Every structure is written in C-alpha cells, then in structure tokens.
Amino acid sequence: MNRKQKKVKSYRQPLSESRRGFLGTTRNIGLAILGGLAWSAYVDEAKANRLLLRPPGALGENDFLKTCIKCGLCVAACRNRDGNIIYDEKGKRIGTKEPTLRLAKPGDNKPLGTPFFIARENPCFMCDDIPCVPACPSGALDLNSLINKKTKKLDINRAKMGLAVVHKESCIAYWGLQCDACYRACPLLGKALTIDMQMNKRTGKHAFLLPVVHSDICTGCGLCEKACVVEKAAIFVLPREYAMGEVGTHYVKGWDSNDQQRVGGAKSIHTIDERSKQKAVDKLNNLGGLLDE
Amino acid sequence: MSSVKYLILRRVVQISILLLYFAGNYYGWKILVGNLSTSVVFGKIPLSDPYAVLQMFVAGAVISSNILIGAVIIFLFYGILGGRAFCSWVCPVNIITDAANWTRRKFGFDMVAKKQPSSRNLRYWVLLISLIISFFLAIPAFEFISPISMVHRGLIFGMGFGWAAVVILYLFDLFVLKNGWCGHICPLGGFYSIIGKFRLLKVKHDSEACTGCMECKIVCPEVQVLHMIDKVSIPVTSGECTNCGRCIDVCKDNALGFFLKVENNNKKGEINNE
C-alpha cells in the first residue's frame, strides 16, 4: 500500500520546465525523422519505375524527374496538335482523338504527373513541328537536342525516345511467313528498320524477310509496335538504357583508324622482378620437383 | 444572401479556373493551359508554382527562364497582394476540406472530438523536410505526393485512382484532425503563409461594432488568426489567414471587412483623429 502510493505520487509530480522543453523537442525531432524517412522511402520507390517511354527530347531520366514540373503542357499540345482534331462536315471542331502523351495518374504506377506514352496503344506520330517540345516550359524536354545542326531547324528524326527490339520467336517473319508490317509502318523505313533476306532452309526455296533495327537511327516512336500483327507485339520499344548494351572502353577496333586513336598514347608496361629471370616456357616446364617421387 | 457572398464568389472563381484549365487541354482554348504547377496564359504569360520551383532548385535542376519568370509573377502576386488567397480562391482541395468542415459543423462532429492533437506549425516542419528530401533524393519531393496537384491534374488530364486522394483528404479532415490538411500539414499553405506575411489585402476588424457573437471563429479555418476579435480594432496580420472572407460573410455587425493596405493609411488616420 505504502509503495503504491509512493509510485503514484512520483508519477504525478509536475515536470520541470527544462525537462518539459527537452521532451517536447525530442518528440518533435523524432516525429520529423519518422515522417521524413517514410516520405523519402515512398518517393524513392515511386521514382524507381523506369520502364516507360518519355516524349521526344526528354532529358535522361534522373535529370528529367527533377526538371519536369508536371504541368501537362506537352500533353495538351499533343492532344491539340494538327491532325488530331476531329472536325464535322462543316469544318467545326467536335473533339480530338486520344493523344499519344498522357500524364501519369494514380494507378498508372509511373512517377506521378510525368508525361509518357504507351506505344502499342498510341505511338508517337513524329509530327514535323514537334508541338510537345516547344510547349515545355521547364526544359525537361530539351529543344536543342532536336535541332538539326546543318539546317538549324527542328528535326524529329533526332529524337531518341527508346529503341525497338525484336523478339524473334514470336515474330512470324522468323517463321518464314511474309510479314513486313513493322517495316512498312516505320517512318524511317530502310534506315531505322531494314529487311534482312535469308534463305529458308526448311522449304529450300523461300526467303525469310527478317526485320532488323538500327539503334543509331531508330527514334523509338513505336509505330512498328503499334503495327505488329501478332497478339502481343513481337517488335516493341524499350527505353534505350534497357534495350542497349555497352562495350566500355577496354575494347578497341583494330581495323578502325579512328578507334585506334583512342590508344594512340598507350605504352606497354614491362615488369621486371625475380620471376623475369626465367623464360615463361621454362617457368611452365619447371614443376618444382612435383613429379620427383 | 450576403452571408454567402464571398463563399459563392470563391466557388465561382475556383470552378472557373478549373474549367479554363480543362478547356485548355480538351478544347484547345488558349486562355489558361497547363495546371497549378505551371501554366501559360493566352499562350504568352508563364505562371509557375514558386514552391515547386524552390524544390526543383534545391534538387539541383536547371531552372529555365520561363519557369523562373512564372514563379516570380506568382510570388509577387501573392506576396504583395493576396497572401494565402491561393488556398481559398484557387486550390481545388479547398472545396474538399471546406466540405469536411461543413459536415463537421452540420452533424456536430466538432462536439465529439474536440481535442486537436497537433500543432498548426506542423506545416513549416513539413515544408522544411520537403526541402531536405528534395536535396538528398535530387527530386522535388512534395510534387511526388502532393494531393493538390494529384486532384488538380486529375480533373484536367484524367483522374485514375486520384479520387482516392479526394476521399482520404475528406475523411482525414472530417474524422482525424479539424482543418487537418489545409490548416496543419500542407507545406504549400505554409509557404504562402510565409510569403504572404506582408500582403496588402487583409481583413480588418472593428471591435466597437463587434457584439462578440463569435460566428466568425466558428467558420474560420485558421481560427488562431482571429485573436483580436471583440478585443482590439486591428487588421488580421498573420500570414496564415487565407483571405477567404467567410468571417466577413457571417458577421452580422459589419465588424469585419476586406481592405487594401494602401488605402488603409488614410482611414486609420481618420479613426485616430476622431
């Protein structure tokens, strides 16, 4: 009984002013850390989805995510572009087709509010005047990257939105059927997408007409993906960072004089130490008494 | 009818702005295109959210001149003239949180949950944390979670699951915290509170005329700014006042009204002379 009373009393003792201040500050800092970490974790996850196609001229994904202000001006420009507006017989505007570009909304599982397109549903039609890019106020869509250095004019062919990739097992051209839908749909046909003719050994008298994508020309517009006749497109556009490999700097094309220049100043290194006294072949033949029983 | 004058005016302004944005996207009108993050007026004048631009700057983005000019225009407009008028006259979330407040009053939820477990200074902490995260993750942190842009973008460009944000805001303000989002958490409101400190448009109070009915304190979403009611005849100086004008609407004694600081100097002198 006595002990219990004592306990209650000490509990009810008012906190000193400084103790109260200390506890309050600690609580605030703790809550700030809690909120800050949860928030950071969410944002870090939310920006992680990079499997999406950006409008032409978009900066690299990291720079794009911090520069894009999510205003949707590119999307509005895409919706209201020439040729997307539907007119009635009298020439009165009655609506628009669905635009290529859309703003990521909750449920799209893309970084919220940023523009992207889904090539299979609505590819980029590569308008000559590129309405979406000049509309961008923030520079997240970089106009300069699309200016042809010779003509000083906008050139949509310089866009690098992605890269088309062929999955040959689901491409019926690889079966030997005659299909060149993707090739015909390509705005840069013959350059970005070519047909490689090979003999069909199965029949012995027919040709395979195989689509081949050239990554230095392909803009990633996705018209090929849209045109592909199989159920799930056998040719599809991926962000370039996913679709491309990289050699690195340690391979040099010995047959290419330009590439050779990269190693022009290189010197060979000779290391001389104890082991250098012996020739390599002797060193290898010397088993160090291993076979001497 | 005068008891809803500013309320109706605000709704008209809020909805007109929304419709103009909507038409800018769907019908190609050039009056107002974009959204509250950045827009273009008549195809020429840029407008940008200065808080979003601040986050971008902290994140290390290169700020284009268009965005910068737009942010300066908005900064000056609210900083010099309107203060937090953005919150009550433009922001679409205001309609949601006002609805939650109305429900609270109408059904008496205020009576069951009187305790407000949070400080209104929380928004300044959120503001600070948003800038710290923007810096470390090199990304505008609030722009990725902002229910304001989520709702606003949703109305213009397609909602998706954005309706969930609407429901969350409504339920939060209704059952968790009174004036929870707009009055406690929203860092954009905090930002405008800071820059609106020296605004010209303010609500003035005449304690002589005041009968102390406290109707204004019941409707005010930032009730702490009305500390002078029935005490002293001074204007509402706190930057947290949203200039929504509800207090003026409900005041039956003409003790409250808008005034511009420029004209105030003379009037104040007159009162002193009397």
Side-chain angles (χ1 to χ4, degrees):
Chain A
M1 192 68 192
N2 204 10
R3 243 175 80 204
K4 205 175 177 186
Q5 260 179 350
K6 206 175 169 187
K7 214 175 181 181
V8 169
K9 203 179 168 190
S10 76
Y11 179 73
R12 282 194 181 155
Q13 226 162 36
L15 293 168
S16 71
E17 201 60 27
S18 62
R19 178 107 185 124
R20 187 177 291 275
F22 171 75
L23 287 177
T25 311
T26 310
R27 177 170 176 267
N28 285 346
I29 292 172
L31 288 176
I33 293 173
L34 169 74
L37 285 178
W39 188 349
S40 307
Y42 171 77
V43 169
D44 204 45
E45 281 301 309
K47 70 171 187 180
N49 189 344
R50 290 165 172 242
L51 263 178
L52 76 175
L53 301 176
R54 296 294 186 196
L59 301 173
E61 189 67 10
N62 280 339
D63 283 331
F64 184 83
L65 284 178
K66 64 176 124 167
T67 312
C68 172
I69 198 163
K70 310 176 179 67
C71 62
L73 283 167
C74 55
V75 177
C78 185
R79 178 181 285 277
N80 296 296
R81 67 182 185 256
D82 294 340
N84 205 44
I85 302 167
I86 307 166
Y87 298 97
D88 63 5
E89 312 89 69
K90 289 172 196 159
K92 199 180 152 224
R93 177 179 164 138
I94 49 169
T96 61
K97 295 173 210 152
E98 271 308 296
T100 296
L101 296 180
R102 37 182 115 183
L103 276 193
K105 50 186 187 287
D108 284 338
N109 294 324
K110 307 267 190 297
L112 270 182
T114 56
F116 71 103
F117 69 97
I118 299 175
R120 185 66 162 168
E121 291 169 19
N122 242 335
C124 173
F125 292 97
M126 293 179 57
C127 317
D128 285 332
D129 56 343
I130 328 181
C132 51
V133 180
C136 178
S138 68
L141 305 180
D142 181 14
L143 201 59
N144 288 330
S145 72
L146 298 175
I147 289 175
N148 190 320
K149 293 207 171 60
K150 281 178 202 155
T151 60
K152 308 270 183 207
K153 279 180 188 158
L154 277 179
D155 182 2
I156 186 64
N157 294 342
R158 292 176 59 86
K160 289 277 178 276
M161 296 171 273
L163 176 62
V165 178
V166 182
H167 175 234
K168 60 184 172 32
E169 277 74 19
S170 58
C171 171
I172 54 172
Y174 277 85
W175 291 11
L177 303 185
Q178 192 189 344
C179 172
D180 54 2
C182 54
Y183 174 72
R184 297 284 160 203
C186 181
L188 295 169
L189 109 174
K191 293 183 204 137
L193 191 52
T194 55
I195 295 289
D196 185 19
M197 277 183 263
Q198 284 178 17
M199 188 186 157
N200 184 344
K201 283 187 181 142
R202 181 176 59 82
T203 64
K205 53 189 168 186
H206 299 97
F208 286 120
L209 303 171
L210 307 176
V212 178
V213 181
H214 302 276
S215 65
D216 48 338
I217 313 276
C218 176
T219 63
C221 69
L223 279 157
C224 54
E225 182 176 337
K226 173 81 175 161
C228 184
V229 299
V230 301
E231 191 172 313
K232 185 174 172 225
I235 183 165
F236 43 87
V237 181
L238 292 177
R240 290 176 77 87
E241 64 171 312
Y242 286 93
M244 293 167 77
E246 227 171 275
V247 178
T249 53
H250 55 290
Y251 279 95
V252 177
K253 291 173 186 162
W255 57 92
D256 181 341
S257 59
N258 279 334
D259 210 29
Q260 275 281 298
Q261 283 171 6
R262 287 201 291 134
V263 287
K267 283 179 239 156
S268 51
I269 300 166
H270 297 284
T271 312
I272 295 171
D273 62 6
E274 266 304 294
R275 282 185 289 180
S276 316
K277 284 177 190 163
Q278 236 178 351
K279 282 185 175 176
V281 104
D282 295 333
K283 173 85 181 155
L284 286 171
N285 283 335
N286 181 3
L287 296 172
L290 199 65
L291 296 181
D292 302 346
E293 274 290 303
Chain B
M1 206 45 207
S2 77
S3 76
V4 285
K5 185 178 121 195
Y6 285 116
L7 181 64
I8 289 177
L9 204 59
R10 274 197 302 128
R11 293 291 177 255
V12 169
V13 172
Q14 278 166 337
I15 292 167
S16 310
I17 289 175
L18 269 176
L19 286 177
L20 284 179
Y21 275 126
F22 183 83
N25 181 38
Y26 272 89
Y27 305 118
W29 292 13
K30 290 275 174 244
I31 306 172
L32 192 58
V33 196
N35 63 28
L36 291 179
S37 300
T38 283
S39 35
V40 179
V41 184
F42 295 113
K44 290 235 160 55
I45 309 161
L47 299 177
S48 289
D49 171 1
Y51 173 49
V53 176
L54 179 65
Q55 289 171 69
M56 286 164 64
F57 176 75
V58 173
V62 180
I63 309 289
S64 74
S65 54
N66 259 333
I67 293 273
L68 196 63
I69 294 168
V72 168
I73 293 175
I74 291 291
F75 186 92
L76 292 179
F77 178 76
Y78 290 116
I80 294 176
L81 186 66
R84 261 185 87 186
F86 170 84
C87 298
S88 56
W89 291 79
V90 181
C91 184
V93 170
N94 174 264
I95 301 176
I96 303 164
T97 57
D98 272 0
N101 260 328
W102 178 84
T103 319
R104 264 178 178 271
R105 284 197 299 271
K106 192 79 183 168
F107 295 93
F109 287 111
D110 278 348
M111 301 299 149
V112 289
K114 269 192 171 169
K115 207 178 167 212
Q116 288 286 83
S118 182
S119 156
R120 287 193 182 251
N121 287 336
L122 184 59
R123 53 187 144 202
Y124 304 113
W125 284 83
V126 176
L127 180 61
L128 181 71
I129 293 171
S130 77
L131 295 180
I132 294 173
I133 300 176
S134 298
F135 178 78
F136 281 108
L137 292 185
I139 205 163
F142 183 63
E143 299 311 298
F144 269 80
I145 60 164
S146 164
I148 307 162
S149 359
M150 221 181 282
V151 170
H152 194 248
R153 266 198 312 267
L155 292 168
I156 303 167
F157 297 102
M159 204 51 145
F161 286 128
W163 58 264
V166 175
V167 177
I168 289 170
L169 283 172
Y170 178 77
L171 293 180
F172 182 77
D173 269 28
L174 180 55
F175 294 130
V176 181
L177 191 59
K178 186 182 180 182
N179 302 123
W181 176 258
C182 299
H184 288 79
I185 297 172
C186 179
L188 185 58
F191 180 82
Y192 281 125
S193 295
I194 293 171
I195 69 168
K197 180 75 186 134
F198 303 104
R199 70 196 181 280
L200 295 178
L201 183 68
K202 285 178 182 160
V203 173
K204 64 175 178 203
H205 175 57
D206 181 2
S207 68
E208 302 285 310
C210 179
T211 56
C213 69
M214 298 296 150
E215 283 291 320
C216 51
K217 289 204 173 183
I218 293 172
V219 291
C220 181
E222 297 281 351
V223 69
Q224 75 283 6
V225 309
L226 290 179
H227 55 81
M228 77 293 294
I229 293 298
D230 203 19
K231 290 187 190 124
V232 270
S233 294
I234 51 168
V236 174
T237 48
S238 167
E240 287 168 2
C241 169
T242 66
N243 273 338
C244 68
R246 274 306 279 152
C247 54
I248 303 169
D249 275 350
V250 298
C251 185
K252 295 187 187 77
D253 312 316
N254 265 334
L256 290 159
F258 278 128
F259 83 115
L260 270 172
K261 206 177 188 176
V262 266
E263 67 178 70
N264 159 54
N265 288 338
N266 302 328
K267 274 189 181 170
K268 212 175 179 183
E270 277 169 31
I271 293 168
N272 286 345
N273 288 339
E274 280 169 23

